[in-house]
Every structure is written in structure tokens, then in C-alpha cells.
């Protein structure tokens, strides 16, 4: 899967990531890899970003806790508002 090649870059810079993932092995691999490097997995639930807990979704936002400290989580909140 495409993000695997950028793992070191993602682990170092912690960008907010928006991704469309269908329910398959690629989704599982992506969520597992990003979670391993500290990302939180979020989905839009009626205009709110909530933790992904297996609910039906295909659009995901991955936010690293350090992004919130740097103020870059605004991108994630804009997604939730759309």
C-alpha cells in the first residue's frame, strides 16, 4: 500500500492525512501502520470527528496528537464540517 513507503516521513512530520479506504486488507494495513506510529483514526459522524470504532465508513482522517499541539488539526475539523 502506498503509505508504507512514506512511513519514516509520516513518523517524523505527522501530517494530517485524509484517505478513502474501502473495507478490505488495504484498509486494515493502513489503519494498523498509522496507529503504530501514533496516529489517531477519525471519521465524520454528523459533522463531528469521532474515533473510528468499526462503524460503517470509507472516509478517514488520521491525526497525530502532535498535530493538535501544533494547531494543524484545523484541517481535520474542516473535514468534519463538510
Amino acid at each position: 500500500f502506498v503509505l508504507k513507503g512514506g512511513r519514516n516521513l509520516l513518523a517524523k512530520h505527522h501530517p494530517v492525512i485524509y484517505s478513502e479506504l474501502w473495507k478490505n486488507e488495504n484498509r486494515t494495513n493502513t489503519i494498523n501502520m498509522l496507529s503504530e506510529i501514533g496516529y489517531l483514526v477519525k471519521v465524520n459522524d454528523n459533522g463531528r470527528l469521532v474515533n473510528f470504532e468499526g462503524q460503517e465508513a470509507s472516509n478517514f482522517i488520521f491525526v497525530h496528537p502532535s498535530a493538535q499541539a501544533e494547531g494543524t488539526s484545523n484541517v481535520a475539523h474542516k473535514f468534519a464540517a463538510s
Side-chain angles (χ1 to χ4, degrees):
F1 59 104
V2 73
L3 293 177
K4 187 175 180 181
R7 181 184 175 113
N8 291 339
L9 181 74
L10 297 172
K12 181 177 180 180
H13 295 287
H14 310 128
V16 175
I17 301 167
Y18 167 79
S19 183
E20 182 175 15
L21 297 167
W22 300 103
K23 193 172 186 175
N24 58 30
E25 184 178 349
N26 189 46
R27 175 196 279 190
T28 302
N29 290 339
T30 300
I31 290 172
N32 288 344
M33 185 200 80
L34 291 173
S35 295
E36 286 172 6
I37 58 176
Y39 275 84
L40 306 174
V41 185
K42 305 284 187 174
V43 294
N44 182 354
D45 180 22
N46 295 316
R48 298 178 308 123
L49 272 183
V50 298
N51 291 330
F52 176 64
E53 297 174 344
Q55 60 270 53
E56 208 50 47
S58 59
N59 295 309
F60 293 83
I61 294 283
F62 297 91
V63 182
H64 195 276
S66 68
Q68 293 175 341
E70 296 167 7
T72 57
S73 63
N74 289 335
V75 172
H77 292 292
K78 288 179 184 177
F79 165 79
S82 63

